[in-house]
Amino acid sequence: MKPILIRSVTILHPASKFNNKLADVLIKDGKIAGLSDKIIAKDDVVVIDGKGKYLSPGFLDLNANFGEPGFETKEDLISGAAAAIAGGFTGVAIQPSTNPVIHSKSEVSYIVNRTKDFITDVYPVGSISHNREGKDLAELYDMRLSGAIAFSDGTRPVTDSGLMSRALLYAKGFDGLVFSFPEDSSIAGKGKMNEGTVSTYLGMKGIPALAEEVHISRDLYLAEYNDCPIHFSTISSAGSVDLIRKAKKKGLKVSCDVAAHHLTLTDEALTEFDSNYKVKPPLRASSDVLALLKGIKDGTIDAIVSQHTPHEIEFKEVEFEIASFGIIGLQTVLPLLVKAGLPPENIVEKLAIKPREILNLPVPSFEEGEDANLVLFDLDSEWIFDNTTNRSKASNSPFFNQSLKGKVFLACNKAQVFNNF
């Protein structure tokens, strides 16, 4: 790759002396070769005007679903990674919702080896239970040795309290981290959307916020009893934010994330029965959205995720009742956070800094001689999310064929460059 000089760009990196300042950045041979107020361009350098744009460490997504192995028609590793880098994600943790399930060192090793040369770092999340059945513990330690970054049963909640307790305690022994998807299935039942005024109006079975909050309460007790860290995936209700805020004040080792779409959409979007708005946890009420945004600003919510869930057309373009849960989201996270009104510093903290801290990964350094793991973006440029810009195999998104504000222009990792000018 030719050397790249980004001129007069605003640096967003809390550990950099140039944080929130304008600087020139030179990238050469996959490393940051220069970072200063002014860099003289040479003839062989590609010069990029960074005015009005931001440069930060590459984003890292804690929750994405790729289909491979087994469900490659939904998304394979190549297409999923392509969607990730287009969204500014130089790292992505993928859920074990595959076939076979990522529940042993074989599947973990396959993903690690298959993706080692990708521009995006792909981190497999191993399942908590064998085959995600919630009965027996999977091979947690073996998976960790093979490269599993954390453990989760995806959107299948671990209903057995004893199993979850043992998983937390076992993972603690080797500094592993358990992700909890909080939903009490006995309360959620066969609900299809948030239980509330809109579900009553539509005559549809609802999933009450109580189902999420009861499960969070249980897992907080288990984490406290075992003195273990725990991470809650995709919380969605005001009550959940309050529970986690109190747990943090109490000193528990708890972290959590929220899906980007839960910050801008409410259950009122479902009045037309568009299955592209059918997600789990479901879109909640406007009061929940406000509580989530407050939780982001006060530090209760640590990270924001895509919850990228691709589906073939036959799983979504059907009656709402039988449509599958989930939307694709890797390329729309940044525009949704712009729409939610988050400032750029907040965006970088929740997409680039905190996710790595949760996974105990080093935050890419902005120092001369360090590997260039970064993303260049702005909050004002508009682009259309359609068949020409979509990098995923799937198109199940309520934002498809819409003009979105907030664009990733360039991303760099492992001496490779994604260029979207």
Side-chain angles (χ1 to χ4, degrees):
M1 59 182 251
K2 284 187 176 182
I4 297 172
L5 176 60
I6 306 173
R7 285 203 182 283
S8 301
V9 68
T10 301
I11 303 295
L12 289 181
H13 193 315
S16 172
K17 64 182 180 181
F18 287 97
N19 188 38
N20 264 320
K21 297 178 181 178
L22 294 179
D24 288 359
V25 181
L26 178 64
I27 303 166
K28 185 177 181 181
D29 298 327
K31 295 185 179 295
I32 297 176
L35 176 59
S36 65
D37 295 322
K38 186 71 174 178
I39 296 176
I40 304 300
K42 295 184 179 180
D43 292 340
D44 62 340
V45 171
V46 176
V47 178
I48 293 174
D49 183 7
K51 188 176 181 180
K53 300 179 179 63
Y54 300 95
L55 192 72
S56 81
F59 303 153
L60 191 149
D61 188 11
L62 292 175
N63 189 327
N65 294 275
F66 294 174
E68 188 176 353
F71 298 123
E72 288 84 354
T73 52
K74 295 181 184 293
E75 194 88 277
D76 58 39
L77 292 169
I78 293 174
S79 62
I85 200 65
F89 293 96
T90 59
V92 58
I94 59 171
Q95 296 293 316
S97 50
T98 53
N99 184 25
V101 170
I102 306 173
H103 63 178
S104 74
K105 60 183 180 182
S106 298
E107 295 83 27
V108 172
S109 296
Y110 169 76
I111 291 169
V112 169
N113 292 327
R114 181 87 169 84
T115 62
K116 62 183 179 180
D117 296 325
F118 287 10
I119 183 173
T120 296
D121 296 308
V122 179
Y123 301 105
V125 175
S127 64
I128 295 171
S129 65
H130 179 75
N131 217 31
R132 296 202 303 149
E133 293 175 346
K135 297 178 181 178
D136 302 303
L137 275 184
E139 302 171 4
L140 305 188
Y141 186 58
D142 281 353
M143 287 192 285
R144 175 60 178 267
L145 291 178
S146 300
I149 199 71
F151 305 98
S152 167
D153 271 359
T155 51
R156 291 185 185 176
V158 178
T159 58
D160 188 316
S161 300
L163 180 67
M164 182 56 116
S165 183
R166 291 190 294 275
L168 288 166
L169 194 57
Y170 185 39
K172 177 185 176 182
F174 55 86
D175 293 325
L177 180 62
V178 172
F179 284 11
S180 170
F181 176 75
E183 181 189 82
D184 187 313
S185 302
S186 63
I187 297 175
K190 296 182 180 180
K192 305 299 180 182
M193 64 175 293
N194 178 53
E195 181 183 271
T197 303
V198 179
S199 67
T200 302
Y201 169 73
L202 297 176
M204 195 176 299
K205 293 179 181 177
I207 301 174
L210 178 68
E212 179 174 305
E213 293 154 14
V214 165
H215 197 107
I216 286 177
S217 297
R218 185 205 72 172
D219 283 356
L220 286 173
Y221 275 117
L222 293 177
E224 182 177 21
Y225 178 80
N226 292 299
D227 190 25
C228 295
I230 190 169
H231 178 83
F232 291 101
S233 296
T234 59
I235 68 168
S236 66
S237 78
S240 297
V241 176
D242 190 50
L243 284 167
I244 293 170
R245 183 181 289 119
K246 289 176 180 176
K248 287 190 170 188
K249 288 181 179 178
K250 193 176 178 181
L252 271 63
K253 305 168 187 174
V254 56
S255 58
C256 67
D257 64 55
V258 62
H261 46 265
H262 280 110
L263 300 175
T264 59
L265 298 173
T266 69
D267 54 4
E268 293 182 4
L270 299 174
T271 54
E272 299 297 323
F273 298 100
D274 184 346
S275 65
N276 282 323
Y277 291 100
K278 185 179 181 181
V279 293
K280 183 176 276 195
L283 301 176
R284 302 286 186 189
S286 56
S287 57
D288 294 299
V289 173
L290 292 174
L292 292 170
L293 290 170
K294 182 180 178 182
I296 285 173
K297 292 172 183 175
D298 69 17
T300 301
I301 297 175
D302 301 275
I304 299 170
V305 301
S306 72
Q307 204 187 22
H308 181 79
T309 308
H311 287 298
E312 301 93 336
I313 191 171
E314 60 265 29
F315 287 89
K316 294 299 277 188
E317 293 197 9
V318 291
E319 293 86 349
F320 190 92
E321 284 280 331
I322 61 174
S324 296
F325 290 97
I327 63 176
I328 58 172
L330 282 164
Q331 291 180 245
T332 55
V333 170
L334 180 62
L336 289 182
L337 301 192
V338 172
K339 186 177 181 180
L342 295 189
E345 297 84 1
N346 230 181
I347 291 173
V348 171
E349 179 192 20
K350 303 304 181 184
L351 292 185
I353 309 299
K354 286 294 185 179
R356 289 184 170 87
E357 292 178 354
I358 290 168
L359 296 177
N360 200 26
L361 294 171
V363 176
S365 176
F366 276 13
E367 299 289 342
E368 291 186 17
E370 296 290 336
D371 291 338
N373 183 334
L374 47 83
V375 58
L376 177 69
F377 65 95
D378 86 358
L379 308 184
D380 297 318
S381 293
E382 295 189 13
W383 60 287
I384 297 174
F385 186 41
D386 57 16
N387 286 323
T388 61
T389 55
N390 180 30
R391 300 299 184 97
S392 172
K393 281 189 173 183
S395 58
N396 53 300
S397 168
F399 311 108
F400 214 66
N401 292 319
Q402 290 187 23
S403 178
L404 305 176
K405 181 181 286 189
K407 182 177 179 179
V408 171
F409 282 93
L410 183 139
C412 183
N413 187 33
K414 293 193 285 193
Q416 301 177 61
V417 174
F418 166 77
N419 191 332
N420 193 30
F421 277 93

